[in-house]
């Protein structure tokens, strides 16, 4: 850490988490940008792969993306042929989003980019430390959701 950073800050887990998150967001963003994508694309494709076709609203909730951002990202994914929209047979006002075979291939490529970014972000940690950190962060997140 910078020698000019007050020690009281470097002893606050919340400050360390915020600083680390800033660097992690930059590294992940750069990795996806190098692959011509954004984090929202990965999150939406991952949600479709794991849970199957869904409404735009359900995708937003499951991937923790604001509704307006979901629409914009889905427009981009649809334009590139990674997802398809079709009317919901139960409610004509909604669309159901389905991942295409091309979208599944895109998801695999983005997963590789995300994995590389994780390796860069957490290079200072052993695999056991990374697993422990993931567990701890998951507990923190669950507490606040």
């Amino acid at each position: 850490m910078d020698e000019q950073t007050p020690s009281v800050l470097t002893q606050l887990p919340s400050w360390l988490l915020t600083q680390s998150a800033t660097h992690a967001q930059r590294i992940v963003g750069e990795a996806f940008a190098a692959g011509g994508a954004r984090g929202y694309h990965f999150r939406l494709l991952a949600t479709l792969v794991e849970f199957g076709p869904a409404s735009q609203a359900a995708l937003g909730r499951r991937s923790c993306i604001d509704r307006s951002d979901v629409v914009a990202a889905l427009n981009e994914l649809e334009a590139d042929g990674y997802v398809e929209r079709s009317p919901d047979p139960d409610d004509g006002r909604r669309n159901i989003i389905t991942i295409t075979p091309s979208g599944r291939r895109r998801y695999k490529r983005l997963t590789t980019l995300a994995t590389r970014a994780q390796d860069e972000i957490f290079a200072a940690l052993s695999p056991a430390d990374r697993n422990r950190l993931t567990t701890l962060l998951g507990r923190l997140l669950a507490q606040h959701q």
Side-chain angles (χ1 to χ4, degrees):
M1 274 179 259
D2 188 333
E3 63 186 47
Q4 299 298 313
T5 302
S7 62
V8 68
L9 295 179
T10 64
Q11 300 305 307
L12 294 172
S14 60
W15 186 84
L16 294 168
L17 187 61
T18 301
Q19 296 305 302
S20 296
T22 299
H23 293 290
Q25 186 174 23
R26 177 186 53 77
I27 292 166
V28 170
E30 288 172 357
F32 285 140
R38 297 186 301 126
Y40 283 170
H41 297 159
F42 179 67
R43 289 161 62 179
L44 290 166
L45 293 174
T47 302
L48 288 166
V49 165
E50 184 162 339
F51 297 107
S55 69
Q56 293 177 175
L59 283 172
R61 284 190 303 274
R62 288 179 176 154
S63 60
C64 300
I65 301 174
D66 183 78
R67 189 176 307 191
S68 63
D69 293 327
V70 168
V71 172
L74 286 174
N75 287 343
E76 294 165 356
L77 290 170
E78 184 179 38
D80 291 335
Y82 300 133
V83 300
E84 294 176 343
R85 283 185 172 107
S86 58
D88 184 337
D90 298 326
D91 184 347
R93 297 169 295 172
R94 288 192 312 203
N95 286 316
I96 297 295
I97 310 303
T98 306
I99 192 168
T100 65
S102 179
R104 286 188 182 278
R105 288 188 299 275
R106 181 66 166 166
Y107 168 72
K108 287 180 183 176
R109 173 72 177 126
L110 295 180
T111 298
T112 299
L113 295 175
T115 299
R116 287 182 188 154
Q118 302 308 296
D119 290 343
E120 180 179 346
I121 294 162
F122 299 106
L125 301 179
S126 70
D129 285 343
R130 284 173 69 167
N131 288 337
R132 181 78 175 134
L133 179 61
T134 300
T135 299
L136 293 171
L137 291 173
R139 283 180 23 204
L140 283 174
L141 185 58
Q143 173 193 340
H144 295 289
Q145 286 183 326

